[in-house]
């Protein structure tokens, strides 16, 4: 049976709101936290994007739950040596309750420093090398590295946890899943796809945790919930690689005009039907996930936590 966690959305909420949601999540019975790592929101309606490492520092004092980034891109906007320092400090602050989730990222966040946005296969190469660099730094040894994509000279992390920070790798296709199997301490994917979980475990991930997540919009008015989900998160229903290559929130706003409210209604749990929420999360359990994280889209956050505490989590 999976553990169920709450997914903190830095794209939609400011720092103080995220801390308060984390407290409510712990009180409601959620067992872990995910937190997104963005420079921009997906669209202006979401409207936030605090620096995740500052928020994690505050979370370490506010709650006792495990925390994981979902996910950090350690390849373009931030050098892997800097991400390693941030992750090591987070692990120390949380007493070892921190995991680093990593992925190949999106142009939306990474192109801001002015460099090129590489094709997917190059981004996977960069991610693999970044993971190698960070693992060496987590040991506390001095690292010198002259690789294909990164150079590290005389770098040593003096503040490190007792055990190296676990690195979970995000994957949404066969190539990324193979990389996660090869170099990850765990696997992250947003689709309750049993075949992907099986591919990961057969490729070398047996015995390692598989985590997934979903968004819901709790509201006692189901139609209002659909409208809210469409306004804030229509971007999640864009096809193909658009999510990885569009460079700014305004481009996502242009593209998501192709997404209708009926598409949201068919693909997103909206409303206060406990059976629908339980069924959505059970898909991940049936696919073999070890942890499942859920994010509330709508404004009634307190209502969501009361609903999950009394109506949903007890049934899971």
């Amino acid at each position: 049976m999976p553990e169920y966690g709450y997914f903190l959305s830095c794209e939609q909420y400011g720092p103080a709101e995220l801390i308060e949601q984390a407290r409510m999540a712990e009180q409601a019975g959620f067992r872990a936290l995910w937190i997104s790592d963005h420079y921009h929101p997906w669209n202006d309606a979401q409207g936030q994007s605090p620096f995740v490492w500052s928020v994690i520092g505050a979370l370490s004092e506010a709650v006792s739950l495990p925390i994981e980034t979902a996910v950090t891109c350690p390849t373009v906007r931030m050098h892997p040596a800097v991400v390693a320092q941030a992750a090591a400090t987070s692990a120390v602050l949380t007493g070892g309750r921190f995991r680093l989730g990593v992925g190949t990222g999106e142009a939306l966040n990474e192109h801001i420093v002015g460099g090129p946005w590489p094709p997917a296969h190059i981004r996977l190469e960069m991610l693999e090398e970044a993971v190698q660099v960070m693992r060496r730094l987590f040991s506390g040894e001095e690292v010198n590295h002259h690789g294909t994509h990164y150079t590290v000279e005389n770098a040593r992390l003096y503040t490190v946890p007792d055990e190296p920070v676990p690195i979970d790798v995000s994957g949404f296709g066969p190539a990324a899943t193979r990389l996660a199997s090869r170099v990850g301490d765990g696997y992250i994917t947003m689709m309750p796809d049993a075949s992907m979980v099986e591919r990961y475990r057969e490729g070398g991930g047996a015995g390692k945790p598989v985590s997934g997540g979903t968004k819901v919009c709790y509201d006692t008015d189901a139609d209002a919930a659909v409208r809210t989900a469409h306004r804030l998160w229509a971007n999640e229903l864009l096809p193909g690689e658009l999510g990885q290559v569009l460079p700014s929130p305004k481009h996502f706003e242009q593209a998501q005009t192709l997404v209708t409210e009926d598409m949201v209604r068919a693909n997103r749990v909206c409303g206060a039907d406990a059976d629908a929420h339980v069924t959505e999360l059970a898909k991940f359990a049936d696919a073999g996930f070890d942890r499942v994280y859920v994010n509330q889209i709508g404004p009634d956050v307190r209502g969501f936590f009361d609903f999950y505490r009394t109506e949903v989590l007890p049934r899971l």
Side-chain angles (χ1 to χ4, degrees):
M1 182 180 295
E3 284 190 340
Y4 291 90
Y6 186 70
F7 191 174
L8 297 165
S9 172
C10 285
E11 303 96 310
Q12 192 179 337
Y13 298 101
E17 294 172 295
L18 294 168
I19 302 307
E20 182 59 22
Q21 286 182 25
R23 291 193 181 103
M24 288 191 286
E26 187 167 35
Q27 292 165 4
F30 287 97
R31 303 293 300 277
L33 296 172
W34 259 3
I35 185 166
S36 56
D37 181 356
H38 269 241
Y39 194 90
H40 291 140
W42 297 97
N43 53 58
D44 282 357
Q46 292 172 358
Q48 293 287 341
S49 209
F51 188 54
V52 70
W53 303 105
S54 300
V55 180
I56 289 171
L59 288 171
S60 72
E61 293 294 311
V63 296
S64 61
L65 299 177
I67 302 165
E68 179 166 18
T69 54
V71 294
T72 294
C73 178
T75 60
V76 177
R77 171 171 46 108
M78 290 180 68
H79 192 284
V82 178
V83 175
Q85 184 185 27
T89 299
S90 298
V92 170
L93 282 170
T94 58
R97 291 180 286 112
F98 178 76
R99 298 180 76 92
L100 176 63
V102 299
T104 57
E106 304 91 15
L108 174 72
N109 301 303
E110 306 306 319
H111 87 290
I112 60 162
V113 293
W117 184 237
H121 72 282
I122 299 297
R123 301 201 307 271
L124 285 169
E125 286 182 9
M126 295 171 71
L127 181 61
E128 182 167 7
E129 186 176 338
V131 169
Q132 295 169 353
V133 167
M134 292 189 293
R135 288 199 192 284
R136 291 181 62 190
L137 286 164
F138 289 152
S139 72
E141 68 181 48
E142 182 178 300
V143 174
N144 288 280
H145 173 88
H146 297 274
T148 303
H149 301 287
Y150 302 106
T151 297
V152 180
E153 293 185 349
N154 307 115
R156 178 185 171 190
L157 296 182
Y158 281 81
T159 300
V160 293
D162 293 336
E163 298 293 332
V165 179
I167 302 176
D168 297 341
V169 177
S170 173
F172 300 98
T177 302
R178 285 194 296 270
L179 176 63
S181 299
R182 190 167 66 251
V183 306
D185 295 309
Y187 177 49
I188 293 172
T189 188
M190 301 301 287
M191 300 171 290
D193 186 334
S195 65
M196 298 294 285
V197 174
E198 183 178 4
R199 185 193 302 268
Y200 169 73
R201 289 185 169 140
E202 290 181 349
K208 299 177 182 179
V210 175
S211 301
T214 189
K215 290 180 171 61
V216 301
C217 190
Y218 167 81
D219 193 308
T220 54
D221 183 333
D223 290 333
V226 169
R227 291 192 296 271
T228 298
H230 179 262
R231 178 174 61 88
L232 292 172
W233 286 95
N235 59 282
E236 288 211 324
L237 296 179
L238 293 175
E241 293 187 64
L242 287 177
Q244 284 71 54
V245 301
L246 294 179
S248 74
K250 69 180 179 182
H251 292 99
F252 279 92
E253 290 165 3
Q254 293 164 6
Q256 68 191 37
T257 59
L258 301 173
V259 178
T260 66
E261 288 187 7
D262 285 341
M263 292 167 65
V264 171
R265 186 176 285 105
N267 288 279
R268 181 74 61 214
V269 174
C270 295
D273 181 349
D275 289 341
H277 287 260
V278 170
T279 298
E280 174 68 14
L281 297 182
K283 293 176 184 177
F284 290 88
D286 294 343
F289 283 71
D290 300 294
R291 268 193 180 154
V292 185
Y293 297 81
V294 60
N295 169 249
Q296 160 67 351
I297 292 174
D300 189 3
V301 175
R302 187 167 297 278
F304 163 85
F305 283 117
D306 287 343
F307 175 65
Y308 265 67
R309 176 177 56 81
T310 59
E311 302 292 334
V312 179
L313 291 179
R315 293 174 58 183
L316 293 168

